[in-house]
Amino acid sequence: MTALRTAIAMVAPNRAAGWGFLALAAICLLALAAPLVAPYAPAEQDLMARLEPPSAQHWLGTDNFGRDILSRILWGARISLLVGLGATLVGMVIGGALGIWAGFKGGIVDLLAARVIDVLLSFPSLILCLLIVSLVGPGVVELIAAIAVSLVPKFARVARSSAIAISHREFVDACRTVGGSDLRIMLRHITPNVVGELAVMASLWTANAVLIEASLSFLGLGVRPPTPTLGGMMLEGLNLLHDAPWLTLFPGLVILAMVLALNLVGDTLRDAVDPRLREV
Amino acid sequence: MKARLVPPILEVRDLRKFFPVPGGGFGPRQAVRAIDGVSFTVERGQSYGLVGESGCGKSTVARCIVGLLTPDSGRITVEGEALTTGRSARGRRLHRSVQMVFQDPFSSLNPRLAIGTTLAEPLAIAGGLSRAQIRARVAELLREVGLPENAAAKFPHEFSGGQRQRISIARALALRPPLIVADEPVSALDVSVQAQILLLLDGLRIEHDLGLLFISHDLAVVRNFCQRVAVMYLGRIVEEGPVERVFADPKHPYTLALRDSSLPPDPAARDRLARIEGEMPSAIDPPKGCHFHPRCPRRMPICSVEAPAWTPFADGGVACHLHPPPDATVTPANRGT
């Protein structure tokens, strides 16, 4: 709570962060409200109006099947945000729990966990996701699972190092001397002190997850058509890049805006949580 | 040993704790000999000082007594019952009868928990109280340590070091333990605040008839605050006795040097004061014989060969070759109390 208040206090004078929050809020609202605000259904074909450039009828043009790009972007952004946020949340919860457990327990548990984290971290996220998706097949849930798995070691590493530092604080000993169980110590004393840091990481990794989702969809390994996704739309537009650049350009710009906004927000949150900056 | 009706609140016998040194490589396994045969007794309502330089093992003693560390050997008895350091329910219950006040008031409170939650935690773990009873007990604890009742809703960062230490004391009192171990409870505080916290502890000791094991490197504080004192050097107790005797007439050269180093500076007297030269040696490879001999101004040939036996006095005792025991079979482990 204090971190959030500090974050808001810091956003006020910071213009870039303000734009980031604003843009993110706008994207989220529009994506959520897609069924209400989208002018056409995302799969509605109009073969008389194929590959039309932006116009009054179709603000961002139409694709090869005459589908409205704006509507598809709005619906696609929903998938992107769902996958990005979902994967990050799952990755944060699992990675955070594993990291806290390893860091708190120490000893052989920690040694093994640290090695496994290192091995998993040595795979680039995208490659790991490619591997998993090619094993389990495409789909929203599969994508979320694959990206979450690639994020687990990243969250686990940060949670582990924080948990090690906090385990040595005297309030943990104090809880032990009154008979507190390990579970209680981890849940009540370590997790609340780690979660702020993880939340900041999460906002930055959500941007990454959105990018991975777009990349996988672009490679044809994401959500199956006709469900619109931003990456998938770019793939569809690729062959027509010369004739109808709007097919690729607009989804690309939305991905850019989303990632940029998430990064700005993440940076601001990081500064807010960093105690060295807060004490000033 | 005299027969006694009431067992002492705390009895420590021949406590030993070595920490293995990691890494090592070849050769024999090394260990930090943190405590090497420590024995002492704290009576109900007594304030007992344990003093020594940093690294002498006094905090290790404290952590063994509250159950944060498992001693390698030796016996810790609280109110006549041996503390089992295991995970058994009985061991845990017994350990709750010893509570600790920590050194660093900034690290001993969880910054994310309101004070009321921190104070309620021991009560919640112990169980058997309703929410309303816990709330009432928290308010009572805050009152006892001289904090306003509305402190319960605040967070640690809203308090000063001295106030935080009061909260830490309240937490230690929550389960009404008969014994509190205070590990350097005032060394992190401003001098002006130190006296307040010491007065608070002393008042609580008298009011609740608490045993208080007071661990400190500051002899001046121990002198004003404790009834008995044990002086530790490199994992062993070198001298023990009533505070007045130990300070008025220190038998061990180390005690003497420690006392003189804590006297108020008097330029005229400075040359007459005993001083300790050098640093405390490593506890991994302590000097043979008497651990103190390399720094001792009065060392004799025997000091580097043989560890001094415990010489009991009418009250207390010393381990020093300057004061050989009348009967050399008495050791700290079997001396009477």
Side-chain angles (χ1 to χ4, degrees):
Chain A
M1 280 303 102
T2 16
L4 187 68
R5 222 174 296 137
T6 328
I8 292 167
M10 287 188 70
V11 169
N14 182 343
R15 199 176 290 172
W19 283 115
F21 275 104
L22 215 64
L24 191 65
I27 292 170
C28 287
L29 272 177
L30 282 173
L32 277 176
L36 303 173
V37 297
Y40 299 86
E44 184 187 327
Q45 301 186 1
D46 181 359
L47 296 176
M48 303 303 288
R50 291 174 55 211
L51 296 176
E52 278 191 10
S55 67
Q57 273 83 44
H58 300 284
W59 288 5
L60 301 181
T62 60
D63 69 3
N64 206 10
F65 299 102
R67 294 177 297 194
D68 183 55
I69 299 288
L70 174 62
S71 303
R72 289 179 65 74
I73 284 180
L74 289 172
W75 283 90
R78 276 162 82 93
I79 303 282
S80 291
L81 284 174
L82 176 69
V83 172
L85 291 173
T88 311
L89 197 70
V90 173
M92 177 170 91
V93 170
I94 297 177
L98 286 176
I100 287 171
W101 182 61
F104 172 72
K105 281 286 179 187
I108 189 82
V109 169
D110 183 41
L111 199 73
L112 285 174
R115 291 297 85 80
V116 171
I117 290 172
D118 284 345
V119 168
L120 286 176
L121 278 177
S122 65
F123 288 100
S125 308
L126 188 58
I127 307 289
L128 198 60
C129 289
L130 271 174
L131 184 77
I132 296 167
V133 169
S134 60
L135 285 176
V136 300
V140 172
V141 176
E142 287 82 352
L143 266 183
I144 290 178
I147 298 174
V149 167
S150 76
L151 292 181
V152 161
K154 300 178 201 302
F155 283 105
R157 187 182 53 170
V158 171
R160 174 181 166 266
S161 59
S162 291
I164 289 174
I166 290 158
S167 301
H168 290 110
R169 304 274 292 272
E170 284 175 344
F171 60 77
V172 171
D173 284 342
C175 184
R176 275 210 190 92
T177 59
V178 295
S181 63
D182 284 0
L183 189 65
R184 169 180 278 270
I185 293 172
M186 282 190 270
L187 287 180
R188 302 252 337 206
H189 292 282
I190 299 189
T191 306
N193 284 292
V194 174
V195 96
E197 214 168 327
L198 291 185
V200 171
M201 270 193 76
S203 63
L204 293 168
W205 279 107
T206 305
N208 230 284
V210 165
L211 268 183
I212 292 175
E213 183 273 328
S215 310
L216 289 174
S217 295
F218 182 74
L219 294 171
L221 288 166
V223 182
R224 276 187 202 281
T227 310
T229 66
L230 298 174
M233 291 171 73
M234 290 183 75
L235 173 64
E236 287 165 20
L238 192 63
N239 292 328
L240 301 159
L241 197 57
H242 275 286
D243 307 313
W246 54 88
L247 292 189
T248 320
L249 179 67
F250 294 121
L253 282 177
V254 172
I255 294 174
L256 176 71
M258 226 184 242
V259 171
L260 195 63
L262 281 166
N263 271 311
L264 285 172
V265 169
D267 280 347
T268 315
L269 282 180
R270 186 193 53 206
D271 292 351
V273 169
D274 191 336
R276 278 166 302 175
L277 293 168
R278 206 189 314 154
E279 298 298 326
V280 181
Chain B
M1 198 176 280
K2 282 175 289 186
R4 39 192 311 162
L5 291 168
V6 187
I9 202 78
L10 172 70
E11 203 172 358
V12 175
R13 281 293 161 267
D14 208 22
L15 200 65
R16 204 172 302 266
K17 177 75 186 172
F18 294 176
F19 296 103
V21 180
F26 300 107
R29 245 224 138 100
Q30 290 190 311
V32 176
R33 303 156 79 91
I35 21 177
D36 193 359
V38 162
S39 305
F40 60 92
T41 303
V42 181
E43 302 293 338
R44 185 169 270 280
Q46 188 180 55
S47 181
Y48 193 99
L50 190 59
V51 295
E53 287 168 274
S54 44
C56 72
K58 53 195 195 301
S59 286
T60 308
V61 171
R63 296 174 75 83
C64 285
I65 292 170
V66 297
L68 289 171
L69 289 174
T70 311
D72 295 338
S73 68
R75 198 157 50 92
I76 301 170
T77 321
V78 175
E79 291 188 301
E81 272 200 85
L83 277 191
T84 51
T85 34
R87 300 188 178 274
S88 67
R90 188 174 150 276
R92 288 205 162 191
R93 198 178 61 244
L94 266 175
H95 263 300
R96 283 183 206 151
S97 59
V98 189
Q99 286 301 313
M100 185 150 172
V101 176
F102 293 87
Q103 173 173 10
D104 179 1
F106 291 89
S107 153
S108 64
L109 299 175
N110 186 340
R112 305 265 162 181
L113 289 187
I115 302 310
T117 318
T118 292
L119 294 182
E121 184 164 50
L123 304 165
I125 293 171
L129 290 180
S130 70
R131 273 167 188 273
Q133 284 171 313
I134 288 181
R135 212 173 309 127
R137 177 79 179 124
V138 166
E140 184 189 342
L141 287 168
L142 285 170
R143 213 165 33 244
E144 272 195 82
V145 298
L147 287 172
E149 222 167 283
N150 66 10
K154 295 186 179 173
F155 283 85
H157 70 263
E158 299 174 65
F159 294 95
S160 68
Q163 287 170 318
R164 282 165 184 238
Q165 205 57 308
R166 285 174 190 270
I167 296 163
S168 197
I169 291 168
R171 174 175 55 194
L173 285 173
L175 297 174
R176 305 177 202 271
L179 175 70
I180 286 186
V181 176
D183 187 4
E184 305 254 17
V186 296
S187 62
L189 304 176
D190 289 345
V191 178
S192 56
V193 183
Q194 287 189 357
Q196 295 171 17
I197 297 297
L198 289 173
L199 280 174
L200 172 68
L201 275 173
D202 210 37
L204 292 169
R205 174 182 68 80
I206 293 163
E207 191 186 330
H208 298 288
D209 203 21
L210 281 174
L212 201 60
L213 180 62
F214 187 86
I215 290 168
S216 179
H217 65 274
D218 186 344
L219 251 73
V221 169
V222 168
R223 180 179 214 168
N224 291 316
F225 185 70
C226 298
Q227 285 97 55
R228 283 187 84 83
V229 62
V231 180
M232 270 187 88
Y233 187 79
L234 222 58
R236 292 179 183 166
I237 290 180
V238 296
E239 184 161 7
E240 201 264 355
V243 161
E244 306 79 43
R245 200 279 295 157
V246 172
F247 281 93
D249 180 22
K251 301 292 186 196
H252 199 285
Y254 179 64
T255 314
L256 178 71
L258 216 54
R259 181 198 70 176
D260 285 358
S261 68
S262 73
L263 286 181
D266 171 8
R270 200 176 288 161
D271 291 340
R272 286 188 278 107
L273 297 179
R275 253 179 297 178
I276 324 174
E277 306 290 339
E279 297 274 318
M280 189 154 73
S282 160
I284 295 175
D285 185 21
K288 294 221 167 11
C290 173
H291 287 347
F292 187 57
H293 83 261
R295 299 165 79 187
C296 184
R298 300 184 62 188
R299 65 176 162 265
M300 303 175 291
I302 188 177
C303 295
S304 55
V305 181
E306 199 179 302
W310 186 257
T311 306
F313 301 144
D315 195 4
V318 69
C320 179
H321 286 299
L322 292 168
H323 308 277
D327 154 20
T329 58
V330 180
T331 67
N334 63 13
R335 84 197 134 100
T337 28

